[in-house]
Amino acid sequence: MPPTLVSQGAAGIASAVAENVQYQGRKTARQGSEQRRQAILDAAMRVVVRDGVRGVRHRAVAAEAQVPLSATTYYFKDIEDLLTDTFAQYVARSADYMAKLWATTEGVLRELIARGDGSLAARARLADEIAQMTADYVSRQLLNRRDFLIAEQAFRQEALLCPRLAELVCAHEQILLHGARQMLEVIGSPQPEQDALVLTAIIEQMEYQGLLRQADTPDDGQMLAILSRYLHLVLAAG
């Protein structure tokens, strides 16, 4: 598959997820009402980051959003609707972010591949370059989107008990898996589907460990070493 089509496919999947996210709460027609609804969802996300999913209650979210309690119960009949729509908004925004990321990554991948001649040494350089790109991505996530990662972990756990959240978690997973699979296919993985499952698991574990450490800076050296070893194995680059 040509690199351009591959990247468009990855970005397209992310865009499709963003466009097809279904919200459970009361629909709004007026701009002001929609802004208030989004403010409530943003407040609920902040409560999740600070207090966990179990801290999300109508009264707590209303106080965080600085709106009357009646506003939260108007838009969301119960806590499950509020939680589901909070994560739905996160998934939609994350999908938009990933669509832009894959669209810009395509050009970088094409340039890296064009430099090589297919030799063992060229494949080794490519593995190192992709490992550095991936490590940089994880570092940026931990430094710039830490609160979102914390919320994501909280919703993943809650999804074990809530089928509606589980559907959203699976949709979010598909964005990451499809993008990783397309990237690995472009760079020459013989088994991109299986390799994407492993690479995604590695990235998610790195993010989780980075959150646990609560350090100002992630352990870039260890991340890079692990990713480099894995990608060398994928590309049989020694």
Side-chain angles (χ1 to χ4, degrees):
M1 184 181 295
T4 301
L5 294 179
V6 167
S7 182
Q8 286 177 348
I13 289 291
S15 295
V17 170
E19 292 170 2
N20 290 291
V21 165
Q22 298 295 315
Y23 292 96
Q24 303 298 319
R26 186 187 293 269
K27 305 300 185 292
T28 59
R30 294 182 302 169
Q31 183 178 0
S33 296
E34 180 58 23
Q35 288 175 344
R36 170 169 278 194
R37 181 178 177 278
Q38 289 183 5
I40 292 170
L41 294 177
D42 289 339
M45 180 65 80
R46 293 194 296 273
V47 172
V48 170
V49 173
R50 186 180 65 236
D51 303 323
V53 169
R54 298 302 174 183
V56 176
R57 294 290 181 268
H58 281 296
R59 191 173 299 278
V61 173
E64 180 70 26
Q66 298 183 340
V67 300
L69 177 60
S70 59
T72 63
T73 56
Y74 172 79
Y75 291 110
F76 309 99
K77 69 179 186 297
D78 55 33
I79 294 300
E80 186 172 318
D81 273 0
L82 178 54
L83 283 173
T84 301
D85 279 13
T86 299
F87 191 56
Q89 180 170 273
Y90 171 82
V91 171
R93 290 175 176 176
S94 180
D96 282 336
Y97 172 81
M98 294 304 295
K100 294 173 184 175
L101 176 66
W102 288 119
T104 56
T105 299
E106 181 262 341
V108 176
L109 289 176
R110 289 179 64 188
E111 182 179 343
L112 292 176
I113 294 166
R115 293 176 188 170
D117 57 9
S119 65
L120 182 63
R123 292 201 304 276
R125 286 195 300 272
L126 180 61
D128 287 338
E129 289 167 329
I130 299 299
Q132 185 65 67
M133 286 176 57
T134 308
D136 289 344
Y137 164 78
V138 176
S139 295
R140 287 196 303 271
Q141 291 286 94
L142 289 168
L143 291 173
N144 301 327
R145 303 183 77 242
R146 191 177 191 88
D147 285 355
F148 294 103
L149 293 181
I150 291 172
E152 185 179 312
Q153 292 291 339
F155 281 114
R156 284 176 183 273
Q157 292 299 312
E158 187 66 18
L160 298 174
L161 304 174
C162 178
R164 284 193 290 172
L165 276 178
E167 290 178 10
L168 287 166
V169 168
C170 289
H172 189 255
E173 280 289 311
Q174 285 305 308
I175 301 170
L176 304 178
L177 281 172
H178 193 81
R181 181 180 68 78
Q182 299 290 23
M183 181 189 78
L184 287 159
E185 188 172 358
V186 169
I187 65 176
S189 163
Q191 297 291 338
E193 185 108 16
Q194 292 90 334
D195 289 336
L197 287 168
V198 177
L199 179 58
T200 303
I202 290 172
I203 291 172
E204 290 177 349
Q205 177 66 9
M206 287 177 171
E207 289 175 344
Y208 182 70
Q209 290 298 323
L211 294 174
L212 282 180
R213 284 196 300 270
Q214 297 184 344
D216 292 335
T217 56
D219 189 348
D220 293 340
Q222 184 181 34
M223 283 197 300
L224 182 59
I226 292 170
L227 289 165
S228 181
R229 172 172 170 73
Y230 173 68
L231 287 163
H232 273 254
L233 291 172
V234 167
L235 297 180

